[in-house]
Amino acid sequence: MTAVANPFDPSRPKTTRGDIQSSVGKEIGVSRWIAIDQSRIDAFGKLTEDLYFIHMDPERAKKETPFGGAIAHGFLTLSMLSAMAYDALPDLEGRTMGMNYGFDKIRFLSPVPAGSRVRAHFVVGAATAKSDRELVIRYDVTVEIEGKPKPALAAEWLTIAFFGSKFCSFATAASRPPQDEVFLGTKAKRTRRMTISFKDRVAIVTGAGNGLGRSHALALAARGAKVVVNDFGGARDGSGGSSEAADKVVAEIKAAGGEAMAAACSVTDEKGVGDMVRAAMEKWGRIDILINNAGILRDKTFSKMDMSDFRMVLDVHLVGSTICTKAVWDIMRAQNYGRIVLTASSSGIYGNFGQANYGAAKMAMVGLMNVLCQEGAKNNIRVNTLAPTAATRMTEELLPKQALDLMRPDLITPGVLYLVSDDAPTRYILGAGAGAFARTLIYETDGLYIDDPTPEKVAAHIAEIGDPAKQEALQNAFQQTNKFVGKAAAAKGVALNKG
């Protein structure tokens, strides 16, 4: 390869398009080593709000994960690839413009421990001349971890180089995406490759005979999942019961070429749920996904609400979700894979008049998620919460028709399917409705130490206590404990033994 001066950056080597075309299958560049230390991981976590302990708490990660300490976010390593590409790849002689379409076909292969160094190797995978002015290049990339036999990730870097006396307009370049040429396939094939698939996955959806649950079950089946359609078939208040609703959804799935089975048990029936799980295991051999969607309403103001109505709503939403989750938990642990969604509501997160029972049950979903996502982490069980607002039989009498027309359940389901996909986050509260999505986070202010506190002192400092300037989304209970104890120790000059 001919190294000549680079007019854009003299420090970078330069080569010819002929050299690139003759180098297919050969390594053409290696980046310098980049250190991924804990401070870089911490900065990335705060920037992206991904503060999960396996990245941000080295001591806890050492005790509770098989990694021996904190690991880098996968997307932190990925975010460095552009810099690695610039560092490693030679520029092309005569190039007047380059359209870099970034990385594709990304495969995370091995965790990157905090304190590691990484570098990228670039191999020319394909180089296709579309004309005398246009060269489409695909580089196959692997990111090496110093001292480790397995790479951190593999990907493809896509670019088009333009040559000639005139710059190509961005509009012209953007109208000629390189993917079809680089992958030597159709755009439709590329779209299918990027699609979230549930092929060979087995899912249980509770409350799947109507509304949101039905929408979730149909969408999972359409993307290849084998689905257990659970629905007790009762009225909106939980009374009655029939297998008709679940059977209808199963028939829809089968008519479309999918696989499904019905389970008409109540989620509050431990034996019935156990039988449902055993039937799924006998038929399909695994359970990958659980969407806890079943619910009822018994709305009354608190003064008029009987305790039987309060208990019944908590029994279905909270206890029912717990029974179903417990029934699949050890299966997911054994297979080192599980995706669980709990269904909360803005009525619990923010409050809604006349729904003390429902609000209490729905906010409890957040607490259950917060614990289960920590206990399931080492077995790749990810637990998230959906907070939906949709036009269903549970809301049809509460909202005007114009609003209900915008709030179809199928506009929420795409968010749920992401939460149970292979690349799902964990401990994520996703608000969804009418095609709009938002993340809900719970923050705690930095707080204030008060020496010899009294009610009057608390009142006098309430503005400082509530100052949001240094608020933080805590990741576990002991973060709060350590913060409070640390403030008291600092104020009293007490040295804490951190060992």
Side-chain angles (χ1 to χ4, degrees):
M1 183 176 297
T2 306
V4 297
N6 181 347
F8 299 105
D9 181 352
S11 67
R12 292 180 66 196
K14 197 168 186 184
T15 189
T16 67
R17 59 189 297 178
D19 285 337
I20 289 288
Q21 289 176 283
S22 65
S23 297
V24 173
K26 299 177 183 177
E27 184 173 278
I28 198 168
V30 182
S31 73
R32 287 169 289 185
W33 290 106
I34 295 179
I36 302 185
D37 55 22
Q38 189 62 49
S39 62
R40 177 166 270 169
I41 295 171
D42 290 344
F44 186 84
K46 290 175 183 177
L47 178 66
T48 61
E49 296 186 340
D50 184 351
L51 305 176
Y52 197 44
F53 79 89
I54 63 174
H55 308 302
M56 309 295 284
D57 189 339
E59 290 302 316
R60 187 176 171 204
K62 184 176 181 179
K63 295 176 182 176
E64 298 184 22
T65 74
F67 306 127
I71 60 172
H73 307 74
F75 282 97
L76 169 57
T77 308
L78 180 62
S79 70
M80 295 178 177
L81 278 179
S82 292
M84 292 179 181
Y86 184 84
D87 181 50
L89 294 177
D91 204 353
L92 291 172
E93 186 179 22
R95 178 183 67 87
T96 53
M97 186 176 182
M99 299 299 296
N100 293 317
Y101 285 83
F103 290 96
D104 191 46
K105 296 185 71 176
I106 300 156
R107 303 177 301 283
F108 293 100
L109 303 174
S110 183
V112 178
S116 299
R117 294 203 307 167
V118 297
R119 67 179 179 183
H121 297 256
F122 292 80
V123 172
V124 181
T128 306
K130 304 302 296 180
S131 70
D132 61 351
R133 294 194 60 230
E134 184 178 343
L135 181 65
V136 179
I137 310 167
R138 185 197 80 216
Y139 297 104
D140 296 330
V141 189
T142 55
V143 175
E144 174 190 4
I145 309 172
E146 188 174 31
K148 301 286 186 180
K150 192 173 182 180
L153 64 84
E156 293 179 355
W157 171 262
L158 312 176
T159 187
I160 295 181
F162 295 95
F163 303 85
S165 58
K166 294 182 179 179
F167 281 87
C168 172
S169 71
F170 180 81
T172 301
S175 70
R176 296 178 58 89
Q179 290 90 339
D180 293 351
E181 294 87 349
V182 169
F183 288 103
L184 304 179
T186 66
K187 192 176 296 184
K189 287 181 180 178
R190 173 177 165 79
T191 301
R192 284 196 296 271
R193 183 169 55 247
M194 298 296 287
T195 296
I196 291 175
S197 172
F198 295 99
K199 186 177 185 297
D200 299 324
R201 295 295 185 198
V202 177
I204 296 175
V205 184
T206 69
N210 294 282
L212 280 170
R214 173 180 174 272
S215 178
H216 302 339
L218 293 175
L220 283 164
R223 289 171 179 259
K226 302 171 178 68
V227 183
V228 179
V229 178
N230 166 263
D231 200 288
F232 179 59
R236 188 174 64 176
D237 66 357
S239 60
S242 165
S243 65
E244 182 180 357
D247 289 337
K248 283 183 178 180
V249 177
V250 169
E252 286 185 76
I253 291 172
K254 289 183 175 179
E259 292 187 60
M261 60 186 292
C265 61
S266 168
V267 293
T268 64
D269 176 4
E270 289 186 60
K271 182 182 182 302
V273 170
D275 290 342
M276 172 181 70
V277 169
R278 279 189 291 274
M281 290 295 291
E282 288 172 5
K283 187 175 181 66
W284 293 314
R286 60 185 297 116
I287 296 172
D288 303 286
I289 295 164
L290 169 65
I291 299 177
N292 290 292
N293 171 76
I296 64 170
L297 285 178
R298 293 193 176 184
D299 293 351
K300 291 180 181 178
T301 60
F302 193 58
S303 64
K304 296 178 179 179
M305 185 179 293
D306 294 333
M307 285 308 300
S308 60
D309 287 334
F310 196 94
R311 289 190 182 96
M312 184 63 179
V313 170
L314 261 70
D315 202 27
V316 173
H317 289 274
L318 174 58
V319 179
S321 294
T322 305
I323 288 171
C324 292
T325 302
K326 179 68 173 174
V328 302
W329 189 256
D330 285 343
I331 294 169
M332 291 179 173
R333 287 183 65 209
Q335 65 196 18
N336 279 312
Y337 187 95
R339 300 291 184 266
I340 297 171
V341 165
L342 302 161
T343 303
S345 169
S346 57
S347 296
I349 297 171
Y350 305 114
N352 193 39
F353 188 90
Q355 290 191 309
N357 50 6
Y358 185 75
K362 288 306 190 183
M363 193 59 188
M365 297 296 100
V366 176
L368 184 58
M369 173 196 71
N370 285 340
V371 174
L372 293 183
C373 71
Q374 296 180 46
E375 293 188 10
K378 66 182 179 181
N379 295 112
N380 191 26
I381 302 173
R382 302 180 192 179
V383 187
N384 296 291
T385 297
L386 175 73
T389 179
T392 69
R393 63 177 184 160
M394 291 180 66
T395 58
E396 61 189 1
E397 296 177 7
L398 305 176
L399 296 165
K401 183 180 183 305
Q402 297 92 325
L404 293 172
D405 289 342
L406 297 172
M407 297 168 60
R408 302 194 318 269
D410 63 287
L411 297 176
I412 289 172
T413 293
V416 180
L417 265 57
Y418 168 65
L419 293 181
V420 296
S421 68
D422 286 354
D423 295 326
T426 195
R427 200 178 189 171
Y428 201 104
I429 305 172
L430 180 68
F437 300 87
R439 184 181 186 184
T440 300
L441 289 163
I442 299 173
Y443 289 97
E444 181 171 294
T445 64
D446 185 54
L448 180 73
Y449 173 76
I450 301 174
D451 189 42
D452 191 20
T454 64
E456 292 77 14
K457 286 182 180 180
V458 172
H461 292 287
I462 198 68
E464 296 164 83
I465 292 169
D467 182 0
K470 296 181 180 180
Q471 67 185 12
E472 184 180 4
L474 303 184
Q475 298 302 298
N476 59 70
F478 276 96
Q479 275 188 269
Q480 185 194 67
T481 300
N482 292 337
K483 178 177 70 174
F484 290 164
V485 172
K487 286 181 179 295
K492 295 181 176 295
V494 175
L496 298 175
N497 182 2
K498 295 184 179 182

